Amino acid sequence: PVTSMQRDYLTTIAQASENLLVLINNVLDFSKIESGKLRLEQVPMNLRSCIEDVLLTLSHPAQSKQIELTHTFHDEVPTNIIGDPLRLKQILTNILGNAIKFTDAGSIIVRTILENKDDKEAEICISITDTGSGLSKTKQGMIFQAFNQSNPTISTEFGNSGLGLIISKQLLDQMRGRITL
């Protein structure tokens, strides 16, 4: 048995360890991308399941803040595609995690729509809209730069490295996709 104080210490240690692991993984991913060593998988995947897995993973943090997390997957979007499910989940987890982190009340909506399709390829848009406070135009222009955070207290409060969005952007570049704000 542990006392409540010991439990608090253990919780703090566990959270610090998780934050450190995320930081190490982000630095490793960033260095692999920068050196051209990161290779994306090209495997059959179920796009809807991939998105729903991320939503399920993040449902608890959203519910704990009483944020409604919803998803719309349009009928014309192909479900079975070729891609890198691990990296797509990494991107979605980063962006949705940020949305949850910076939304105090309201909702987050994930929409998956088909923008263009031919016999071999599909251009799919996954948009994330939240009711968070947003960013000034100046901060919007800097959001996809390495080690940049819109609020300097973020790394202290949330344990962020400032690499998540730049990694997401670079992964999407490799996927011939794009990320915009």
Side-chain angles (χ1 to χ4, degrees):
V2 293
T3 66
S4 63
M5 182 180 279
Q6 289 170 326
R7 183 171 287 112
D8 288 345
Y9 286 147
L10 291 171
T11 301
T12 301
I13 291 167
Q15 185 62 49
S17 299
E18 287 176 27
N19 289 343
L20 184 58
L21 183 59
V22 168
L23 176 63
I24 291 167
N25 284 335
N26 280 344
V27 170
L28 289 173
D29 282 348
F30 185 69
S31 65
K32 283 181 192 175
I33 291 169
E34 288 292 304
S35 67
K37 302 279 188 210
L38 185 78
R39 298 289 172 237
L40 297 175
E41 283 191 352
Q42 293 294 312
V43 298
M45 60 180 267
N46 183 303
L47 180 60
R48 182 188 298 265
S49 293
C50 189
I51 295 168
E52 288 173 353
D53 287 350
V54 173
L55 291 170
L56 182 62
T57 301
L58 295 174
S59 64
H60 179 71
Q63 287 172 355
S64 69
K65 291 181 77 175
Q66 298 180 340
I67 298 169
E68 181 182 14
L69 186 57
T70 60
H71 178 227
T72 304
F73 194 97
H74 288 227
D75 291 338
E76 65 274 7
V77 177
T79 301
N80 296 310
I81 62 172
I82 303 294
D84 190 329
L86 178 68
R87 295 303 178 178
L88 180 59
K89 286 179 183 181
Q90 179 181 2
I91 293 164
L92 291 172
T93 298
N94 183 283
I95 296 168
L96 277 169
N98 283 344
I100 292 167
K101 198 179 304 175
F102 300 111
T103 300
D104 293 325
S107 63
I108 299 170
I109 303 167
V110 180
R111 291 180 187 88
T112 306
I113 62 170
L114 180 66
E115 289 197 336
N116 197 4
K117 182 180 177 187
D118 61 29
D119 293 339
K120 295 185 180 201
E121 293 187 346
E123 187 176 333
I124 299 166
C125 176
I126 303 171
S127 69
I128 299 168
T129 307
D130 64 60
T131 56
S133 60
L135 295 170
S136 69
K137 290 286 184 195
T138 303
K139 291 180 180 178
Q140 286 180 24
M142 300 182 314
I143 198 84
F144 297 113
Q145 296 173 8
F147 303 105
N148 194 355
Q149 297 171 334
S150 61
N151 181 342
T153 62
I154 290 171
S155 61
T156 306
E157 186 176 349
F158 296 109
N160 284 7
S161 65
L163 289 172
L165 288 175
I166 190 67
I167 290 169
S168 295
K169 181 183 183 319
Q170 291 176 341
L171 288 171
L172 283 164
D173 287 347
Q174 284 190 17
M175 294 175 179
R176 295 187 335 247
R178 66 186 182 281
I179 185 171
T180 59
L181 173 66

